[in-house]
Amino acid sequence: VPKDSTHFGYQSIPTHAKTPRVGTVFHSVAKHYDLMNDLLSFGLHRLWKRQAIANLQLEPHHHVLDLAGGTGDLSSLILKKLNEQGRLIFSDINDSMLNIGRNRLLDEGFVQQFKIVQANAESLPFPNNAFHRIIIGFGLRNVTHPSLALSEMFRVLKPGGRVIILEFSHPRSEQLSRCYNAYSFNVLPWLGKMICNDEASYQYLVESIRMHPSQEALKMIMQQAGFEQVDYQNMLDGIVAIHKGFKF
Ligand SMILES: C[S@@+](CC[C@H](N)C(=O)[O-])C[C@H]1O[C@@H](n2cnc3c(N)ncnc32)[C@H](O)[C@@H]1O
């Protein structure tokens, strides 16, 4: 990738153009986002999210940051585990996604315990050492500079705190890879066209997953950002991975 350019799926684009392009994708898919997740993953994203939350090891009084929180799936699971002292910041860069998430969390009866913050994960409007736990689910691969976002997460995490990154990753078996590729490159854009009238966004989704660093590479990027005891757990042979890291 030439200097001052970056990838947007398989395309090379000027670095400054990536965040707005990703914005266009999520403004476009927001309305159908939840339905598409269920269809495309056969409902499995719900299990992956539960597993990620289990890895977060929440305590009821924790102050938690859900980054790139989208329509609030992870935030909803987190809020169910917090007591009156617990606090959640539900954050995303995209107001179309946040609006759907806000209505959903309010409909579920959560009022006091969460705040909504529209922010870019690369420059977080929070003081140092603010959160016991941070989670980012299927968000990091959309961020223009993932290492910057990780440094910011490290900065705002309290010492003793834990970060969880739930993200698509790279399947280990050749055979599974072939089936998964055939499914992703054929079915996903087609369903995107049928349901959202937007093939391009789902083509981006598929390509961005391939451009995202491998399990080991992401582990190293997390270590470079300062995280310690970094480790990961593969799900579905690595189609999805949960990375965790600590700040001491
Ligand atoms: C695939 S969705 C994931 C939403 C939710 N976490 C989930 O697991 O269902 C990715 C989200 O990342 C957000 N996003 C993209 N770039 C971002 C950035 N630079 N900072 C914060 N959020 C970003 C998008 O707006 C979108 O809502």
Side-chain angles (χ1 to χ4, degrees), residues 5 30 37 52 63 80 121 166 172 197 210 213 218 230 232 235:
S5 28
N37 274 351
H63 292 191
K80 288 183 180 120
L166 170 67
R172 287 170 307 176
N197 195 21
R210 270 74 194 171
L218 178 56
V230 179
Y232 60 86
M235 286 177 297

Side-chain angles (χ1 to χ4, degrees), residues 35 78 94 120 133 158:
L35 170 67
I78 292 164
N94 189 300
N120 187 338
R133 298 287 187 264
K158 284 184 193 290

Side-chain angles (χ1 to χ4, degrees), residues 45-46 48-53 56 58 64 66-80 88 90 104-105 135-139 164 166:
H45 73 104
R46 293 167 184 262
W48 301 330
K49 285 169 180 165
R50 282 182 191 283
Q51 187 61 33
I53 295 294
L56 207 52
L58 282 173
V64 187
D66 178 15
L67 265 182
T71 56
D73 277 3
L74 290 167
S75 281
S76 167
L77 292 171
I78 292 164
L79 283 167
K80 288 183 180 120
L88 170 79
F90 165 49
R104 175 256 181 94
L105 295 175
I135 189 162
I136 179 165
F138 303 111
I164 293 290
L166 170 67

Side-chain angles (χ1 to χ4, degrees), residues 34-49:
D34 295 325
L35 170 67
M36 287 296 276
N37 274 351
D38 277 332
L39 288 177
L40 296 175
S41 76
F42 309 102
L44 284 172
H45 73 104
R46 293 167 184 262
L47 294 179
W48 301 330
K49 285 169 180 165

Side-chain angles (χ1 to χ4, degrees), residues 4-224:
D4 292 332
S5 28
T6 189
H7 50 82
F8 176 78
Y10 289 169
Q11 298 169 41
S12 177
I13 62 167
T15 305
H16 65 81
K18 175 148 175 169
T19 303
R21 288 284 296 273
V22 169
T24 307
V25 167
F26 287 101
H27 285 304
S28 165
V29 304
K31 210 170 100 203
H32 299 291
Y33 178 78
D34 295 325
L35 170 67
M36 287 296 276
N37 274 351
D38 277 332
L39 288 177
L40 296 175
S41 76
F42 309 102
L44 284 172
H45 73 104
R46 293 167 184 262
L47 294 179
W48 301 330
K49 285 169 180 165
R50 282 182 191 283
Q51 187 61 33
I53 295 294
N55 272 280
L56 207 52
Q57 303 235 323
L58 282 173
E59 290 175 35
H61 66 279
H62 274 162
H63 292 191
V64 187
L65 173 61
D66 178 15
L67 265 182
T71 56
D73 277 3
L74 290 167
S75 281
S76 167
L77 292 171
I78 292 164
L79 283 167
K80 288 183 180 120
K81 292 182 182 280
L82 297 184
N83 64 19
E84 321 66 72
Q85 286 139 32
R87 290 284 175 276
L88 170 79
I89 303 276
F90 165 49
S91 176
D92 198 283
I93 198 172
N94 189 300
D95 56 325
S96 302
M97 297 292 278
L98 280 177
N99 276 331
I100 294 173
R102 179 200 50 205
N103 291 342
R104 175 256 181 94
L105 295 175
L106 292 174
D107 283 348
E108 288 177 1
F110 303 112
V111 181
Q112 299 286 345
Q113 281 158 295
F114 79 96
K115 282 204 165 58
I116 303 172
V117 175
Q118 186 175 5
N120 187 338
E122 292 173 351
S123 73
L124 294 175
F126 309 114
N128 297 349
N129 309 328
F131 299 97
H132 298 97
R133 298 287 187 264
I134 300 176
I135 189 162
I136 179 165
F138 303 111
L140 195 62
R141 71 171 193 287
N142 298 297
V143 173
T144 308
H145 304 99
S147 52
L148 209 55
L150 285 164
S151 299
E152 278 292 84
M153 289 180 224
F154 188 77
R155 180 182 68 76
V156 303
L157 190 64
K158 284 184 193 290
R162 172 192 292 245
V163 72
I164 293 290
I165 298 168
L166 170 67
E167 190 51 274
F168 290 107
S169 200
H170 297 259
R172 287 170 307 176
S173 110
E174 270 288 309
Q175 228 172 354
L176 180 67
S177 262
R178 252 179 275 133
C179 300
Y180 175 54
N181 281 337
Y183 170 73
S184 309
F185 283 98
N186 297 305
V187 180
L188 267 74
W190 177 80
L191 260 182
K193 190 167 150 191
M194 301 303 287
I195 292 176
C196 308
N197 195 21
D198 181 358
E199 192 172 353
S201 290
Y202 283 86
Q203 186 70 30
Y204 162 74
L205 166 80
V206 175
E207 293 178 3
S208 66
I209 291 172
R210 270 74 194 171
M211 298 304 288
H212 186 66
S214 69
Q215 287 83 334
E216 284 294 324
L218 178 56
K219 180 175 169 178
M220 250 165 66
I221 301 170
M222 289 176 71
Q223 285 166 336
Q224 281 157 7

